[in-house]
């Protein structure tokens, strides 16, 4: 047992909740709220700025460009300076992006502001995961990670009916000014209440060894057995839920704007239920000897089945289907604590950052490519998009997920594999 883990075991549960899980959960709440809010304000952006489907996808995905592009630097910073300092600074960057987004006049200014929001949100989950590796005993980390992610589900929920209400009351620009103020407040709260990490975890490797570690991770065959499957499933889920789910519900199910927000709210509730359920079941099965990757595989297969149902356009089942989509879509999170165990705590931030780069890279690609494919069909008489365009674009990414699942099955690593033993 490391000294850091020993110190973590001495932290009381109330202190752990108030000074670790709560502040980092709030960060992930904001990260997912920013990520998903464009699904609700998309009609405003289309009408106010004059965007087509491809431009809407690219503008919304600018968040994902900033987010994915900062993951490797983020892992380095988290391992070197710790989650408290890094996350507080990043929140301030996100607040600056929110202000720019609120006052930008055209698509390029909006895209730049949203990219800054993505950079500022890049540590929303990874900083929490890093804090968990420092302060939570190894056997309970999957549950702790799921608790942080569950609050992200509240962020998605806030990006539905509450965001629609705020847009009506204050306009989408006014809403982003309010989000800026909340983001700054969370940054101050986190910096004041989160304890500094144990000195034993604060080693500062030289730059050469830092980048050597990234090379070790990206050249590891076990990483590449797991990462494509997780990236395609989790990334596609993010790309759809944070933008294209709303237009699908409008164009395929034929629902009005209020109903769209309500169904998106159900999907967000599904995310909340699913992340808690995933963490609890993984924790329970882990104590019975079932590995994290085995549990993850079962949940992700359920997610792929739900996507197949969506391709069949089950209009009468729309609320239930999108609830299930939200519930199973992020089961790939179980790979993060597994990778942290496999590579070791000293590489936890970088290994998770390397995986997250791929996840959000796929999220960006899916969000943009779906819009580009939809643009191949003319706008309908009602001003929406052709249902068949959703089938083609969603089906493309489901097919890619199936291929990565086969690749994963051909060499799935054992539950207790550690890199030091290979």
């Amino acid at each position: 047992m490391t000294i850091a883990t020993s110190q973590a075991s001495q932290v009381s549960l109330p202190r752990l909740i108030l000074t670790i899980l709560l502040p980092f959960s709030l960060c992930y709440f904001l990260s997912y709220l920013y990520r998903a809010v464009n699904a609700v304000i998309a009609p405003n952006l289309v009408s106010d700025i004059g965007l087509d489907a491809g431009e809407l996808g690219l503008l919304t995905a600018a968040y994902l460009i900033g987010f994915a592009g900062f993951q490797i630097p983020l892992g380095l910073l988290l391992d070197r300076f710790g989650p408290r300092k890094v996350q507080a600074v990043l929140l301030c960057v996100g607040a600056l992006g929110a202000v720019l987004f609120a006052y930008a006049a055209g698509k390029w200014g909006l895209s730049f502001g949203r990219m800054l929001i993505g950079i500022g949100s890049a540590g929303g989950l990874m900083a929490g995961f890093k804090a968990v590796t420092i302060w939570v005993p190894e056997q309970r980390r999957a549950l702790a990670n799921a608790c942080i992610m569950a609050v992200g589900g509240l962020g998605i929920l806030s990006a539905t009916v509450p965001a629609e209400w705020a847009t009506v009351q204050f306009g989408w620009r006014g809403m982003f000014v309010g989000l800026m103020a909340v983001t700054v407040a969370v940054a101050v709260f986190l910096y004041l209440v989160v304890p500094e990490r144990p000195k034993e975890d604060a080693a500062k490797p030289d730059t050469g060894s830092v980048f050597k570690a990234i090379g070790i991770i990206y050249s590891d065959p076990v990483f590449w057995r797991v990462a494509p499957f997780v990236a395609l499933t989790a990334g596609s889920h993010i790309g759809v839920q944070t933008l294209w789910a709303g237009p699908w519900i409008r164009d395929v199910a034929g629902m009005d704007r209020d109903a769209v927000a309500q169904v998106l709210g159900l999907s967000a509730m599904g995310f909340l239920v699913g992340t808690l359920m995933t963490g609890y079941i993984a924790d329970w099965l882990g104590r019975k000897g079932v590995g994290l990757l085995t549990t993850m595989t079962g949940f992700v297969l359920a997610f792929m089945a739900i996507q197949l149902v969506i391709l069949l356009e089950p209009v009468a089942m729309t609320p239930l289907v999108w609830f299930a989509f939200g519930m199973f879509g992020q089961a790939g999170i179980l790979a993060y604590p597994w990778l942290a165990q496999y590579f070791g705590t000293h590489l936890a931030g970088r290994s998770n950052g390397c995986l997250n780069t791929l996840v959000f890279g796929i999220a960006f690609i899916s969000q943009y490519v779906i819009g580009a494919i939809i643009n191949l069909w003319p706008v309908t008489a009602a001003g929406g998009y052709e249902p068949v365009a959703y089938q083609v674009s969603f089906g493309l990414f489901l097919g890619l997920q199936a291929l990565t699942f086969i690749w994963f099955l051909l060499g799935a690593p054992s539950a207790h594999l550690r890199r030091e033993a290979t």
Side-chain angles (χ1 to χ4, degrees):
M1 178 182 293
T2 65
I3 297 176
T5 304
S6 177
Q7 290 190 20
S9 65
Q10 300 173 12
V11 177
S12 66
L13 182 60
R15 185 186 174 197
L16 182 67
I17 293 172
L18 292 176
T19 65
I20 304 296
L21 296 183
L22 175 60
F24 287 104
S25 294
L26 290 176
C27 296
Y28 192 51
F29 170 90
L30 288 172
S31 176
Y32 232 119
L33 172 56
Y34 278 125
R35 190 185 310 168
V37 72
N38 273 23
V40 166
I41 68 170
N44 301 84
L45 296 174
V46 170
S47 61
D48 293 355
I49 311 299
L51 305 175
D52 62 25
E55 290 170 334
L56 175 62
L58 184 59
L59 185 152
T60 302
Y63 169 103
L64 301 172
I65 295 173
F67 196 107
F70 200 71
Q71 287 304 302
I72 298 246
L74 173 66
L76 303 178
L77 292 169
L78 289 174
D79 285 337
R80 181 163 186 146
F81 298 107
R84 170 177 170 263
K85 295 175 181 176
V86 172
Q87 185 57 32
V89 172
L90 286 178
L91 285 171
C92 294
V93 174
L96 175 61
V99 171
L100 294 177
F101 191 88
Y103 290 103
K107 62 183 179 181
W108 296 115
L110 289 167
S111 297
F112 181 67
R114 189 151 172 83
M115 184 182 69
L116 285 181
I117 293 173
I119 294 172
S121 301
L125 186 58
M126 292 299 101
F129 280 6
K130 177 63 177 180
V132 165
T133 65
I134 295 172
W135 295 103
V136 178
E138 181 176 300
Q139 68 272 18
R140 310 314 299 270
R141 289 174 186 170
L143 180 58
N145 286 347
C147 289
I148 293 175
M149 282 204 72
V151 180
L154 296 178
I156 307 175
L157 188 61
S158 298
T160 58
V161 175
E164 173 68 14
W165 176 85
T167 301
V168 172
Q169 296 297 316
F170 309 107
W172 62 271
R173 295 182 185 276
M175 179 179 65
F176 269 84
V177 172
L179 285 175
M180 176 274 297
V182 172
T183 304
V184 171
V186 172
V188 173
F189 173 69
L190 178 140
Y191 191 81
L192 292 178
V193 305
V194 174
E196 194 55 76
R197 60 184 174 164
K199 292 182 179 179
E200 291 77 12
D201 186 65
K204 297 182 179 181
D206 61 74
T207 303
S209 66
V210 165
F211 285 97
K212 181 180 178 181
I214 298 297
I216 288 172
I217 294 165
Y218 273 138
S219 63
D220 190 287
V222 174
F223 177 86
W224 285 111
R225 187 63 65 175
V226 175
F229 182 42
V230 175
L232 259 295
T233 52
S236 298
H237 172 261
I238 292 168
V240 171
Q241 185 167 37
T242 59
L243 180 59
W244 295 114
W248 187 100
I249 296 165
R250 178 195 65 195
D251 298 332
V252 177
M255 296 185 175
D256 62 22
R257 184 162 175 164
D258 288 341
V260 168
Q262 291 169 10
V263 174
L264 289 175
L266 280 175
S267 186
M269 285 298 297
F271 180 93
L272 175 60
V273 171
T275 49
L276 286 173
M277 177 188 70
T278 300
Y280 175 80
I281 292 177
D283 185 71
W284 179 68
L285 290 176
R287 284 181 270 127
K288 296 181 178 296
V290 179
L292 287 171
L293 295 184
T294 301
T295 304
M296 178 195 79
T297 302
F299 283 122
V300 173
L301 285 177
F303 172 61
M304 293 170 67
I306 290 300
Q307 292 176 79
L308 183 60
V309 173
I310 289 174
L311 292 182
L312 301 176
E313 300 182 351
V315 174
M317 299 170 58
T318 294
L320 176 61
V321 166
W322 285 100
F323 177 86
F325 182 88
M327 185 166 67
F328 292 107
Q330 288 298 295
I333 64 166
L334 295 178
Y336 288 88
W338 187 88
L339 283 174
Q341 294 170 16
Y342 172 71
F343 283 106
T345 302
H346 64 293
L347 290 178
R350 279 164 282 187
S351 63
N352 285 342
C354 286
L355 178 58
N356 226 31
T357 300
L358 299 179
V359 169
F360 282 89
I362 294 297
F364 161 70
I365 292 170
S366 66
Q367 206 160 76
Y368 173 67
V369 169
I370 289 172
I373 292 174
I374 288 174
N375 253 1
L376 297 177
W377 279 262
V379 175
T380 64
Y385 307 126
E386 280 288 348
V388 68
Y390 294 103
Q391 287 181 315
V392 172
S393 56
F394 288 12
L396 169 64
F397 284 94
L398 178 57
L400 293 173
Q401 291 169 43
L403 291 176
T404 60
F405 173 59
I406 294 171
W407 169 252
F408 172 75
L409 283 185
L410 291 174
S414 65
H416 303 294
L417 182 65
R418 297 292 184 270
R419 190 178 190 281
E420 290 77 10
T422 62

